[in-house]
């Protein structure tokens, strides 16, 4: 199980988002500081924590932490989904509100994330997937595995009571989600895996796919030097033979 959304592990797109920041006059344009742009909002999806830009309907102001519908059909507040948003393009306000929004989403879907602790399997022989979550070590992992054999965890509180010194599960999960969303740093070791979010479009593996996609049959040989092996060199007339 790679994603905690057990009941809907692979949603095609987000249907609801939580507003992280609302810019009534759009982004500041350094070339035209006095110009006002169109309203835009930065948001995070509640299914796979997808960072998204949306524009509100005319006459509608969006509030931070509003949960709004962006799916197909009639929308009451959002006019258009502009597209995906890179972590590095989040505003200062969005970065501050991001962790609060992630925790809010996790708490609203407590049953799904408790089920995650009850069913998550091993990554490999040497490391369990639970160890990818900040604050959970091998001792915690072993205790969680032993306790869930006795009886599945019923809530976050039940998890904390039965696994002493574990810490706050919501905070741990939120830190992992934020780490996966952050595309500003190179991820190595435990940080290179994606359990709660989708692999970002700027991930190195996706860049490689896009690069190879353009190297089809029609592009073979482009940029290569011509192969002149086996051909006799042509004798060019020297300047002494010219009249």
């Amino acid at each position: 199980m790679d994603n905690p959304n057990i009941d809907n592990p692979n949603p095609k797109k987000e249907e609801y988002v939580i507003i992280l920041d609302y810019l009534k006059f759009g982004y500041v344009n350094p070339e035209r500081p006095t110009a006002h742009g169109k309203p835009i909002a930065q948001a995070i999806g509640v299914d796979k924590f997808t960072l998204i830009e949306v524009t509100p309907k005319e006459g509608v102001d969006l509030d931070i932490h509003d949960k709004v519908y962006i799916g197909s059909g009639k929308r009451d507040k959002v006019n258009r989904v502009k597209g995906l948003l890179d972590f590095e393009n989040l505003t200062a306000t969005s970065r501050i509100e991001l962790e609060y929004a992630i925790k809010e989403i996790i708490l609203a879907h407590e049953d799904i994330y408790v089920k995650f602790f009850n069913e998550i399997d091993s990554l490999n022989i040497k490391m369990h997937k639970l160890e990818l979550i900040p604050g959970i070590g091998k001792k915690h992992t072993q205790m969680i595995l032993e306790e869930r054999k006795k009886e599945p965890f019923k809530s976050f509180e039940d998890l904390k009571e039965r696994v002493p010194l574990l810490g706050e599960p919501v905070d741990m999960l939120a830190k992992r989600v934020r780490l996966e969303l952050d595309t500003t740093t190179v991820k190595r070791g435990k940080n290179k895996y994606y359990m709660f979010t989708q692999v970002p479009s700027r991930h190195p593996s996706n860049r490689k796919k896009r690069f190879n996609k353009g190297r089809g049959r029609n592009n073979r040989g482009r940029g290569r030097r011509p192969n002149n092996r086996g051909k006799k060199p042509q004798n060019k007339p020297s300047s002494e033979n010219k009249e």
Side-chain angles (χ1 to χ4, degrees):
M1 185 184 73
D2 294 324
N3 194 285
N5 301 308
I6 301 167
D7 298 325
N8 187 22
N10 295 305
K12 292 183 179 180
K13 60 181 180 179
E14 302 279 6
E15 291 194 344
Y16 288 91
V17 296
I18 292 179
I19 303 300
L20 298 174
D21 192 11
Y22 174 58
L23 298 93
K24 188 171 184 178
F25 302 107
Y27 295 115
V28 176
N29 188 340
E31 296 180 357
R32 295 189 301 163
T34 59
H36 288 176
K38 295 181 179 180
I40 194 167
Q42 296 187 340
I44 183 171
V46 302
D47 282 330
K48 283 195 172 181
F49 302 100
T50 310
L51 298 176
I52 298 174
E53 283 183 318
V54 300
T55 57
K57 288 191 173 183
E58 188 174 355
V60 174
D61 286 333
L62 300 174
D63 294 322
I64 293 176
H65 286 283
D66 266 357
K67 182 180 178 181
V68 296
Y69 179 71
I70 64 167
S72 57
K74 187 176 181 181
R75 303 169 181 163
D76 56 346
K77 292 185 177 181
V78 171
N79 177 43
R80 187 166 70 94
V81 177
K82 286 201 67 178
L84 300 179
L85 178 67
D86 288 329
F87 181 90
E88 61 190 62
N89 293 328
L90 290 175
T91 64
T93 300
S94 290
R95 296 194 183 212
I96 293 172
E97 300 297 334
L98 181 62
E99 191 166 344
Y100 295 106
I102 293 171
K103 290 180 181 180
E104 183 180 336
I105 293 169
I106 293 172
L107 284 170
H109 300 85
E110 182 176 358
D111 56 335
I112 291 177
Y113 291 92
V114 171
K115 193 174 182 180
F116 162 77
F117 279 99
N118 285 326
E119 297 188 0
I120 189 169
D121 55 7
S122 183
L123 182 65
N124 52 45
I125 297 175
K126 295 182 179 180
M127 183 173 63
H128 198 278
K129 285 185 179 180
L130 285 170
E131 296 174 40
L132 300 180
I133 301 174
I136 297 183
K138 291 184 178 180
K139 290 184 178 180
H140 294 120
T141 299
Q142 190 61 35
M143 293 181 70
I144 292 173
L145 296 178
E146 291 175 359
E147 284 294 323
R148 76 184 192 183
K149 286 180 182 178
K150 301 175 184 177
E151 184 184 8
F153 298 109
K154 298 180 178 67
S155 64
F156 287 137
E157 286 300 321
D158 183 34
L159 175 61
K160 289 192 294 182
E161 288 178 4
R162 292 165 58 186
V163 184
L165 304 177
L166 176 62
E168 181 56 58
V170 176
D171 292 343
M172 294 175 175
L173 293 170
K175 287 180 181 178
R176 179 67 206 188
V177 171
R178 184 185 175 91
L179 186 149
E180 292 181 16
L181 291 174
D182 189 350
T183 54
T184 62
T185 56
V186 179
K187 294 180 172 58
R188 297 186 177 91
K190 294 182 180 181
N191 298 337
K192 67 182 180 180
Y193 299 99
Y194 289 83
M195 294 195 300
F196 302 101
T197 66
Q198 301 184 74
V199 180
S201 59
R202 300 189 67 177
H203 192 269
S205 61
N206 284 339
R207 289 202 298 268
K208 186 176 180 180
K209 289 177 183 178
R210 290 198 300 268
F211 176 75
N212 289 335
K213 188 176 180 181
R215 300 185 65 179
R217 184 177 300 175
N218 295 332
N219 292 330
R220 289 180 179 175
R222 287 188 179 181
R224 297 179 180 176
R225 293 182 179 180
N227 186 358
N228 294 324
R229 288 182 298 178
K231 293 183 179 181
K232 294 182 178 180
Q234 296 180 356
N235 294 326
K236 294 183 180 180
S238 63
S239 58
E240 296 177 354
N241 296 332
K242 288 184 180 179
E243 295 182 0

